[in-house]
Amino acid sequence: MSACIIFSRSSRRRRRLHSLGLAAMPEKRPFERLPADVSPINYSLCLKPDLLDFTFEGKLEAAAQVRQATNQIVMNCADIDIITASYAPEGDEEIHATGFNYQNEDEKVTLSFPSTLQTGTGTLKIDFVGELNDKMKGFYRSKYTTPSGEVRYAAVTQFEATDARRAFPCWDEPAIKATFDISLVVPKDRVALSNMNVIDRKPYPDDENLVEVKFARTPVMSTYLVAFVVGEYDFVETRSKDGVCVRVYTPVGKAEQGKFALEVAAKTLPFYKDYFNVPYPLPKIDLIAIADFAAGAMENWGLVTYRETALLIDPKNSCSSSRQWVALVVGHELAHQWFGNLVTMEWWTHLWLNEGFASWIEYLCVDHCFPEYDIWTQFVSADYTRAQELDALDNSHPIEVSVGHPSEVDEIFDAISYSKGASVIRMLHDYIGDKDFKRGMNMYLTKFQQKNAATEDLWESLENASGKPIAAVMNTWTKQMGFPLIYVEDEQVEDDRLLRLSQKKFCASGPFVGEDCPQWMVPITISTSEDPNQAKLKILMDKSEMNVVLKNVNPDQWVKLNLGTVGFYRTQYSSAMLESLLPGIRDLSLPPVDRLGLQNDLFSLARAGIISTVEVLKVMEAFVNEPNYTVWSDLSCNLGILSTLLSHTDFYEEIQEFVKDVFSPIGERLGWDPKPGEGHLDALLRGLVLGKLGKAGHKATLEEARRRFKDHVEGKQILSADLRSPVYLTVLKHGDGTTLEIMLKLHKQADMQEEKNRIERVLGATLSPELIQKVLTFALSEEVRPQDTVSVIGGVAGGSKHGRKAAWKFIKDNWEELYNRYQGGFLISRLIKLSVEGFAVDKMAGEVKAFFESHPAPSAERTIQQCCENILLNAAWLKRDAESIHQYLLQRKASPQAV
């Protein structure tokens, strides 16, 4: 699954957490896995959805194996009513179940039989009915509008993690695999899709308007990967060079918008086949855009479902970042067809393996398809730094988490499973080398295909392929939370450089204090100014302190740790070493990803109170010649965090002046219009810089944005897709009620979900209290798709100090409706995180905690604790550094220097 999670980047302090009772995770709910006495071999499943009254009927005939004599069968079942159930031992009489005992809390049903079911095989038959819900999980309804303007519903599925049980009674655990024969009874004018290809389509005897569509038998697979879709769609198709039929299904009339994803998918399948040296196991793969969809996408085997914005690209109206997003999500989901679907984790504890691996290899795949994206530099800003931010908290968790109850599974679809998972796999790949890594992957996939595996199984395969101590190294990264801060100082000894290294856990609240400091086995690379792109030395740091000698390093050469920002650690240099690295930022002799890593480490050290924030502001000014999009993107994020923090002071305007000073030189160099020979990254950079300057109120940018917006609205000159977000944001932030009205009108007229989302995300920039209220009301209206309400409210919270208070009040006032809408999926966690994390007053942490104690949200418990911790850390940061930041900004104003 691509979680598509918009993690905001935020900040933290530890001491007061315990007095607020924020550090201890809640008690785990009692949970037992299903008994092993009966298990499925094959599910023959026929479903008949009613797209008008939102119900469905189902018939299940499961070939089952009784391993131990029993008079009951326990299965997973939720929101389903069983009408009849029976079990027929092979060659014997049918035994009817005499009782169905639903354990709703545990989402189980126990079927009781009047006599004992003996060991052996037999057929379990169940007739049942269910509801096509509107919760975006299980078998649910998704609203769409036909080209003629009529509102209709499709029936679609989302089963990961534990929602197949809402569509049919089943053994809904990843290790209980079986084959599936699926049939759907549907209106004859609808498209019906499932994991496999259609093998038969015939009229339904009881109703001439219906047809029964039968699909081929699947390979052995887990329930969470089963999928079916019934609706109206167009498609484009091609064959990959391996002969696999690839189709992209789009809303009716939008087949053209599926071509980009089709091209990416057709290149991606052969790339993975070659990388894993294992063929794609199914005859076809469909990628389909679903209107109402909670995640980014879901890797159902052979039928991958996507949000429209993660699949559809309109050549005229899609921006560069959307293309890149589609390429990454397609790469992610198709990687799962092998890693996750062919070989599946044994239990949700190992979810990170699925998601971390797919989140890493999606970048490898996009780099192969689109080398011009410089995607690995973007990985550091998008995944690596995001994971470090969350993992520095006391309320983080290890990559491997023991989970039981379904509500706990939802909690681990977070930046640790995805982004830290991907980051440590990137580090591991670098440590092993590509050749041995590929060989190990092939051994793993071949050994466990159609089976289940645990983290240890992958380590064993990679250890056999590389001869390196993979399990010993990786256990330090997956079984304990957090990561190290490496402190380094150097000394010139004749022609050599002596480095003294020490490691300690990096904490968002400052230097680690405590008895037993965890230790990591850290692969460390060291480069020098002689060749900034090459490691002069690679070592494995397996103790708390180490001395390293670099041979033949002149006194005037700089030395840098963590080449390429690949190792999952932060570095603190002695002041002399840092001083020698800074010119490498100005003259660009440090590679982009190293410039980014250096700045990000310093910013985090300042947030944690280890160095002063003023030191970081001085370093930020050295980026005046920076050409790289991703470096600017990371810088922009960090300045955004600082702006949010300083919105709690009376010198917010001064930090806006600083932002304008830093960004205006690059803004002038880029201008508004693309120049000949520019590419993808220039378009991304222009959008980023103009948005930053416009938001900060840069006069020339604001005037030009208003002029172009007027021409756009009047139809004189339509804005290019890449300029829309920055222009919309700028005119709204400095606009009035009329501007908001125009934006809402543009939203209503937009035919493309990408454009609607683009507008929804910037509406929160508006500043007047009554307009903010209007935007919040709009968020819950019919105009906004349920999954997108979160980004509208989050945008308000991130837009201004008043917006933050208003969004929090709105969530409290509308909690019942919001909670009911998202039913504890990860959207509720995202909503909470986006809305409260920008606060920086101690008492707000207490208020947030108290609210959720009286309005529990079990799947968001950890998120709530992380948010409260962040609020306290923000408050501490403000107390510690606000005055010195203010003085520095005033001093800059008084004696303007050439930035």
Side-chain angles (χ1 to χ4, degrees), residues 4 6 307 309-310 319 321-322 325 695 721 725 728-729 732 743 747 753-766 775 778 784 787-799 830 834:
C4 161
I6 308 157
R307 272 190 185 202
T309 48
C319 60
S321 58
S322 293
W325 172 239
K695 195 176 175 188
S725 279
Y728 293 169
L729 176 74
L732 266 170
M743 288 307 301
H747 181 276
Q753 198 53 34
E754 179 187 326
E755 177 75 353
K756 285 189 188 290
N757 284 172
R758 197 176 357 250
I759 294 167
E760 287 159 2
R761 280 199 293 267
V762 297
L763 290 175
T766 194
V775 171
F778 173 75
V784 178
Q787 70 266 27
D788 299 321
T789 297
V790 174
S791 51
V792 181
I793 299 173
V796 170
R830 189 191 309 178
L834 288 175

Short mmCIF file of all heavy atoms in Angstrom, two decimals, residues 4 6 307 309-310 319 321-322 325 695 721 725 728-729 732 743 747 753-766 775 778 784 787-799 830 834:
data_model
loop_
_atom_site.label_atom_id
_atom_site.label_comp_id
_atom_site.label_asym_id
_atom_site.label_seq_id
_atom_site.Cartn_x
_atom_site.Cartn_y
_atom_site.Cartn_z
N CYS A 4 0.67 7.35 1.08
CA CYS A 4 0.36 8.70 0.59
C CYS A 4 0.22 9.64 1.78
O CYS A 4 -0.62 10.50 1.82
CB CYS A 4 -0.94 8.63 -0.20
SG CYS A 4 -1.81 10.15 -0.47
N ILE A 6 0.77 12.57 4.20
CA ILE A 6 1.39 13.89 4.18
C ILE A 6 1.88 14.13 5.60
O ILE A 6 1.16 14.61 6.44
CB ILE A 6 0.37 14.95 3.79
CG1 ILE A 6 -0.34 14.55 2.50
CG2 ILE A 6 1.02 16.32 3.65
CD1 ILE A 6 -1.68 15.17 2.31
N ARG A 307 -5.81 6.05 -5.84
CA ARG A 307 -6.51 7.33 -5.87
C ARG A 307 -6.37 7.86 -7.29
O ARG A 307 -5.35 7.63 -7.93
CB ARG A 307 -5.79 8.35 -4.99
CG ARG A 307 -6.20 8.36 -3.56
CD ARG A 307 -5.60 9.57 -2.84
NE ARG A 307 -5.94 9.45 -1.43
CZ ARG A 307 -5.97 10.45 -0.59
NH1 ARG A 307 -5.67 11.66 -0.99
NH2 ARG A 307 -6.30 10.27 0.66
N THR A 309 -5.56 10.75 -8.21
CA THR A 309 -4.37 11.61 -8.32
C THR A 309 -3.06 10.83 -8.33
O THR A 309 -2.01 11.39 -8.62
CB THR A 309 -4.33 12.61 -7.15
OG1 THR A 309 -4.54 11.90 -5.94
CG2 THR A 309 -5.38 13.68 -7.31
N ALA A 310 -3.12 9.54 -7.97
CA ALA A 310 -1.89 8.73 -7.98
C ALA A 310 -1.76 7.93 -9.27
O ALA A 310 -0.83 7.17 -9.44
CB ALA A 310 -1.88 7.79 -6.77
N CYS A 319 0.79 18.75 -13.23
CA CYS A 319 2.09 19.39 -12.98
C CYS A 319 3.19 18.32 -12.87
O CYS A 319 2.91 17.12 -12.76
CB CYS A 319 2.02 20.24 -11.72
SG CYS A 319 1.60 19.30 -10.26
N SER A 321 5.21 17.58 -10.47
CA SER A 321 5.26 16.79 -9.23
C SER A 321 4.21 15.67 -9.28
O SER A 321 4.42 14.60 -8.71
CB SER A 321 5.06 17.67 -8.00
OG SER A 321 3.84 18.35 -8.08
N SER A 322 3.10 15.89 -9.99
CA SER A 322 2.10 14.82 -10.12
C SER A 322 2.63 13.66 -10.95
O SER A 322 2.40 12.50 -10.63
CB SER A 322 0.82 15.34 -10.77
OG SER A 322 0.19 16.26 -9.92
N TRP A 325 4.94 11.73 -8.77
CA TRP A 325 4.18 11.00 -7.76
C TRP A 325 3.58 9.73 -8.37
O TRP A 325 3.68 8.65 -7.80
CB TRP A 325 3.09 11.93 -7.20
CG TRP A 325 2.09 11.30 -6.27
CD1 TRP A 325 0.75 11.25 -6.45
CD2 TRP A 325 2.34 10.64 -5.02
NE1 TRP A 325 0.15 10.59 -5.39
CE2 TRP A 325 1.10 10.22 -4.51
CE3 TRP A 325 3.51 10.37 -4.29
CZ2 TRP A 325 0.98 9.53 -3.30
CZ3 TRP A 325 3.38 9.68 -3.08
CH2 TRP A 325 2.14 9.27 -2.60
N LYS A 695 4.15 33.48 -0.58
CA LYS A 695 3.59 33.30 0.76
C LYS A 695 4.19 34.32 1.73
O LYS A 695 3.51 34.85 2.60
CB LYS A 695 3.87 31.87 1.22
CG LYS A 695 3.03 31.45 2.42
CD LYS A 695 3.29 29.98 2.75
CE LYS A 695 2.56 29.59 4.02
NZ LYS A 695 2.93 28.26 4.48
N ALA A 721 0.29 24.23 -15.44
CA ALA A 721 -0.01 23.41 -14.24
C ALA A 721 1.03 23.62 -13.15
O ALA A 721 0.70 23.65 -11.96
CB ALA A 721 -0.10 21.94 -14.63
N SER A 725 -0.26 25.97 -8.20
CA SER A 725 -0.20 25.95 -6.73
C SER A 725 0.41 27.23 -6.16
O SER A 725 -0.18 27.86 -5.29
CB SER A 725 0.57 24.73 -6.23
OG SER A 725 -0.29 23.62 -6.23
N TYR A 728 -2.06 30.22 -6.78
CA TYR A 728 -3.27 30.11 -5.95
C TYR A 728 -2.96 30.46 -4.50
O TYR A 728 -3.68 31.19 -3.83
CB TYR A 728 -3.85 28.69 -6.01
CG TYR A 728 -4.41 28.25 -7.35
CD1 TYR A 728 -4.74 26.91 -7.57
CD2 TYR A 728 -4.61 29.15 -8.40
CE1 TYR A 728 -5.26 26.47 -8.78
CE2 TYR A 728 -5.13 28.72 -9.62
CZ TYR A 728 -5.45 27.39 -9.81
OH TYR A 728 -5.95 26.95 -11.01
N LEU A 729 -1.86 29.89 -4.00
CA LEU A 729 -1.47 30.10 -2.60
C LEU A 729 -1.22 31.60 -2.34
O LEU A 729 -1.69 32.16 -1.35
CB LEU A 729 -0.20 29.30 -2.30
CG LEU A 729 0.42 29.48 -0.92
CD1 LEU A 729 -0.42 28.76 0.13
CD2 LEU A 729 1.85 28.95 -0.88
N LEU A 732 -4.44 33.82 -2.49
CA LEU A 732 -5.34 33.54 -1.35
C LEU A 732 -4.79 34.13 -0.06
O LEU A 732 -5.52 34.71 0.73
CB LEU A 732 -5.51 32.03 -1.17
CG LEU A 732 -6.71 31.41 -1.87
CD1 LEU A 732 -6.61 29.90 -1.82
CD2 LEU A 732 -8.02 31.86 -1.22
N MET A 743 -11.82 31.06 -6.05
CA MET A 743 -11.14 29.76 -5.90
C MET A 743 -12.18 28.63 -5.77
O MET A 743 -12.02 27.56 -6.35
CB MET A 743 -10.25 29.75 -4.66
CG MET A 743 -8.98 30.57 -4.76
SD MET A 743 -7.92 30.23 -6.17
CE MET A 743 -7.56 28.55 -5.96
N HIS A 747 -12.80 25.45 -8.18
CA HIS A 747 -12.86 24.10 -7.65
C HIS A 747 -14.08 23.37 -8.20
O HIS A 747 -14.00 22.23 -8.65
CB HIS A 747 -12.93 24.16 -6.12
CG HIS A 747 -12.97 22.81 -5.45
ND1 HIS A 747 -14.15 22.11 -5.29
CD2 HIS A 747 -12.00 22.03 -4.92
CE1 HIS A 747 -13.90 20.96 -4.69
NE2 HIS A 747 -12.59 20.90 -4.44
N GLN A 753 -9.44 15.64 -10.72
CA GLN A 753 -9.24 15.55 -9.27
C GLN A 753 -7.96 16.24 -8.83
O GLN A 753 -7.89 16.85 -7.78
CB GLN A 753 -9.26 14.08 -8.84
CG GLN A 753 -9.50 13.86 -7.37
CD GLN A 753 -10.75 14.56 -6.82
OE1 GLN A 753 -11.74 14.70 -7.51
NE2 GLN A 753 -10.68 15.03 -5.59
N GLU A 754 -6.93 16.15 -9.67
CA GLU A 754 -5.65 16.79 -9.33
C GLU A 754 -5.85 18.29 -9.10
O GLU A 754 -5.32 18.88 -8.15
CB GLU A 754 -4.64 16.57 -10.45
CG GLU A 754 -3.30 17.24 -10.19
CD GLU A 754 -2.34 17.16 -11.37
OE1 GLU A 754 -2.36 16.15 -12.11
OE2 GLU A 754 -1.59 18.11 -11.55
N GLU A 755 -6.65 18.94 -9.97
CA GLU A 755 -6.89 20.38 -9.83
C GLU A 755 -7.73 20.67 -8.58
O GLU A 755 -7.47 21.61 -7.84
CB GLU A 755 -7.58 20.91 -11.10
CG GLU A 755 -7.96 22.38 -11.06
CD GLU A 755 -6.78 23.36 -11.21
OE1 GLU A 755 -5.61 22.93 -11.24
OE2 GLU A 755 -7.05 24.57 -11.30
N LYS A 756 -8.74 19.82 -8.33
CA LYS A 756 -9.55 20.02 -7.11
C LYS A 756 -8.65 19.92 -5.88
O LYS A 756 -8.71 20.75 -4.97
CB LYS A 756 -10.67 18.97 -7.04
CG LYS A 756 -11.84 19.24 -7.99
CD LYS A 756 -12.99 18.29 -7.69
CE LYS A 756 -14.11 18.36 -8.71
NZ LYS A 756 -14.89 19.61 -8.67
N ASN A 757 -7.78 18.89 -5.84
CA ASN A 757 -6.88 18.72 -4.69
C ASN A 757 -5.91 19.88 -4.55
O ASN A 757 -5.59 20.32 -3.45
CB ASN A 757 -6.07 17.42 -4.83
CG ASN A 757 -6.87 16.18 -4.53
OD1 ASN A 757 -6.42 15.08 -4.73
ND2 ASN A 757 -8.11 16.34 -4.07
N ARG A 758 -5.43 20.37 -5.69
CA ARG A 758 -4.49 21.49 -5.68
C ARG A 758 -5.14 22.70 -4.98
O ARG A 758 -4.52 23.37 -4.16
CB ARG A 758 -4.15 21.83 -7.14
CG ARG A 758 -2.94 22.65 -7.29
CD ARG A 758 -2.49 22.93 -8.71
NE ARG A 758 -3.17 22.38 -9.85
CZ ARG A 758 -2.66 21.43 -10.65
NH1 ARG A 758 -1.50 20.90 -10.39
NH2 ARG A 758 -3.31 21.02 -11.69
N ILE A 759 -6.40 22.95 -5.31
CA ILE A 759 -7.11 24.08 -4.71
C ILE A 759 -7.40 23.80 -3.23
O ILE A 759 -7.20 24.65 -2.37
CB ILE A 759 -8.42 24.37 -5.50
CG1 ILE A 759 -8.06 24.85 -6.90
CG2 ILE A 759 -9.29 25.39 -4.77
CD1 ILE A 759 -9.22 24.89 -7.89
N GLU A 760 -7.85 22.55 -2.94
CA GLU A 760 -8.19 22.21 -1.54
C GLU A 760 -7.00 22.41 -0.61
O GLU A 760 -7.16 22.87 0.52
CB GLU A 760 -8.65 20.74 -1.48
CG GLU A 760 -10.03 20.53 -2.07
CD GLU A 760 -10.31 19.08 -2.48
OE1 GLU A 760 -9.44 18.21 -2.28
OE2 GLU A 760 -11.41 18.85 -3.02
N ARG A 761 -5.80 22.07 -1.10
CA ARG A 761 -4.63 22.14 -0.23
C ARG A 761 -4.21 23.57 0.11
O ARG A 761 -3.53 23.78 1.09
CB ARG A 761 -3.45 21.39 -0.87
CG ARG A 761 -3.55 19.89 -0.66
CD ARG A 761 -2.20 19.22 -0.88
NE ARG A 761 -1.79 19.31 -2.27
CZ ARG A 761 -2.04 18.38 -3.18
NH1 ARG A 761 -2.69 17.29 -2.85
NH2 ARG A 761 -1.62 18.52 -4.42
N VAL A 762 -4.59 24.55 -0.74
CA VAL A 762 -4.14 25.93 -0.46
C VAL A 762 -5.23 26.80 0.17
O VAL A 762 -4.94 27.91 0.59
CB VAL A 762 -3.61 26.63 -1.74
CG1 VAL A 762 -2.40 25.92 -2.28
CG2 VAL A 762 -4.69 26.75 -2.81
N LEU A 763 -6.46 26.31 0.26
CA LEU A 763 -7.54 27.15 0.79
C LEU A 763 -7.24 27.68 2.19
O LEU A 763 -7.65 28.77 2.56
CB LEU A 763 -8.86 26.36 0.82
CG LEU A 763 -9.48 26.05 -0.55
CD1 LEU A 763 -10.72 25.16 -0.38
CD2 LEU A 763 -9.86 27.33 -1.30
N GLY A 764 -6.51 26.89 2.97
CA GLY A 764 -6.19 27.28 4.36
C GLY A 764 -5.27 28.47 4.47
O GLY A 764 -5.05 29.00 5.56
N ALA A 765 -4.73 28.94 3.34
CA ALA A 765 -3.81 30.10 3.38
C ALA A 765 -4.56 31.39 3.69
O ALA A 765 -3.96 32.37 4.10
CB ALA A 765 -3.07 30.23 2.05
N THR A 766 -5.87 31.37 3.48
CA THR A 766 -6.66 32.58 3.71
C THR A 766 -6.55 33.01 5.18
O THR A 766 -6.45 32.17 6.06
CB THR A 766 -8.13 32.33 3.27
OG1 THR A 766 -8.78 33.57 3.19
CG2 THR A 766 -8.87 31.42 4.21
N VAL A 775 -13.92 28.04 4.98
CA VAL A 775 -13.10 26.94 4.41
C VAL A 775 -13.32 25.65 5.21
O VAL A 775 -13.46 24.56 4.64
CB VAL A 775 -11.60 27.33 4.38
CG1 VAL A 775 -10.74 26.12 4.01
CG2 VAL A 775 -11.36 28.47 3.40
N PHE A 778 -16.58 24.15 4.32
CA PHE A 778 -16.44 23.58 2.97
C PHE A 778 -15.79 22.19 3.03
O PHE A 778 -16.15 21.29 2.29
CB PHE A 778 -15.61 24.55 2.11
CG PHE A 778 -15.24 24.03 0.75
CD1 PHE A 778 -16.17 23.97 -0.27
CD2 PHE A 778 -13.94 23.59 0.49
CE1 PHE A 778 -15.83 23.49 -1.53
CE2 PHE A 778 -13.58 23.12 -0.77
CZ PHE A 778 -14.54 23.07 -1.79
N VAL A 784 -16.27 18.10 -1.34
CA VAL A 784 -14.93 17.56 -1.08
C VAL A 784 -15.04 16.06 -0.84
O VAL A 784 -15.84 15.62 -0.03
CB VAL A 784 -14.29 18.25 0.16
CG1 VAL A 784 -12.92 17.67 0.48
CG2 VAL A 784 -14.19 19.76 -0.07
N GLN A 787 -11.78 11.48 1.49
CA GLN A 787 -10.36 11.34 1.80
C GLN A 787 -9.61 12.67 1.75
O GLN A 787 -8.51 12.79 2.24
CB GLN A 787 -9.67 10.32 0.87
CG GLN A 787 -9.51 10.77 -0.57
CD GLN A 787 -10.63 10.31 -1.47
OE1 GLN A 787 -11.75 10.09 -1.02
NE2 GLN A 787 -10.35 10.15 -2.76
N ASP A 788 -10.24 13.69 1.10
CA ASP A 788 -9.54 14.96 0.92
C ASP A 788 -9.89 16.00 1.98
O ASP A 788 -9.23 17.03 2.09
CB ASP A 788 -9.84 15.52 -0.48
CG ASP A 788 -9.36 14.57 -1.57
OD1 ASP A 788 -8.27 13.98 -1.39
OD2 ASP A 788 -10.06 14.38 -2.58
N THR A 789 -10.93 15.73 2.77
CA THR A 789 -11.30 16.63 3.87
C THR A 789 -10.09 16.88 4.76
O THR A 789 -9.85 18.00 5.22
CB THR A 789 -12.44 15.98 4.70
OG1 THR A 789 -13.57 15.83 3.85
CG2 THR A 789 -12.81 16.81 5.91
N VAL A 790 -9.31 15.83 4.97
CA VAL A 790 -8.15 15.90 5.86
C VAL A 790 -7.16 16.97 5.40
O VAL A 790 -6.66 17.75 6.20
CB VAL A 790 -7.45 14.52 5.92
CG1 VAL A 790 -6.16 14.58 6.70
CG2 VAL A 790 -8.38 13.48 6.53
N SER A 791 -6.90 17.03 4.07
CA SER A 791 -5.90 18.01 3.63
C SER A 791 -6.45 19.44 3.67
O SER A 791 -5.68 20.38 3.81
CB SER A 791 -5.30 17.65 2.26
OG SER A 791 -6.31 17.38 1.34
N VAL A 792 -7.77 19.60 3.57
CA VAL A 792 -8.34 20.95 3.69
C VAL A 792 -8.18 21.45 5.14
O VAL A 792 -7.68 22.55 5.39
CB VAL A 792 -9.83 21.00 3.28
CG1 VAL A 792 -10.37 22.43 3.39
CG2 VAL A 792 -10.02 20.49 1.85
N ILE A 793 -8.58 20.60 6.10
CA ILE A 793 -8.47 21.00 7.52
C ILE A 793 -7.00 21.18 7.90
O ILE A 793 -6.61 22.14 8.57
CB ILE A 793 -9.16 19.97 8.43
CG1 ILE A 793 -10.66 19.87 8.08
CG2 ILE A 793 -8.99 20.35 9.90
CD1 ILE A 793 -11.40 18.75 8.81
N GLY A 794 -6.16 20.25 7.43
CA GLY A 794 -4.71 20.35 7.69
C GLY A 794 -4.12 21.62 7.12
O GLY A 794 -3.25 22.25 7.72
N GLY A 795 -4.60 22.02 5.94
CA GLY A 795 -4.12 23.25 5.30
C GLY A 795 -4.48 24.48 6.12
O GLY A 795 -3.69 25.42 6.23
N VAL A 796 -5.67 24.47 6.73
CA VAL A 796 -6.08 25.58 7.59
C VAL A 796 -5.16 25.64 8.81
O VAL A 796 -4.66 26.70 9.20
CB VAL A 796 -7.56 25.44 8.02
CG1 VAL A 796 -7.92 26.46 9.10
CG2 VAL A 796 -8.49 25.60 6.82
N ALA A 797 -4.92 24.47 9.42
CA ALA A 797 -4.08 24.42 10.63
C ALA A 797 -2.66 24.89 10.34
O ALA A 797 -2.02 25.52 11.17
CB ALA A 797 -4.05 23.00 11.18
N GLY A 798 -2.18 24.59 9.12
CA GLY A 798 -0.80 24.98 8.77
C GLY A 798 -0.71 26.37 8.19
O GLY A 798 0.38 26.88 7.93
N GLY A 799 -1.86 27.01 7.96
CA GLY A 799 -1.86 28.28 7.24
C GLY A 799 -1.52 29.49 8.08
O GLY A 799 -0.89 30.43 7.61
N ARG A 830 -3.72 11.01 10.51
CA ARG A 830 -3.16 12.11 9.73
C ARG A 830 -3.86 13.42 10.06
O ARG A 830 -3.23 14.47 10.19
CB ARG A 830 -3.30 11.82 8.24
CG ARG A 830 -2.54 12.81 7.40
CD ARG A 830 -2.87 12.73 5.94
NE ARG A 830 -2.77 11.38 5.44
CZ ARG A 830 -3.05 11.05 4.18
NH1 ARG A 830 -3.45 11.98 3.34
NH2 ARG A 830 -2.95 9.82 3.77
N LEU A 834 -1.79 16.62 11.45
CA LEU A 834 -1.72 17.89 10.70
C LEU A 834 -2.32 19.04 11.49
O LEU A 834 -1.93 20.19 11.34
CB LEU A 834 -2.47 17.75 9.37
CG LEU A 834 -1.81 16.88 8.29
CD1 LEU A 834 -2.73 16.75 7.09
CD2 LEU A 834 -0.47 17.44 7.86
#
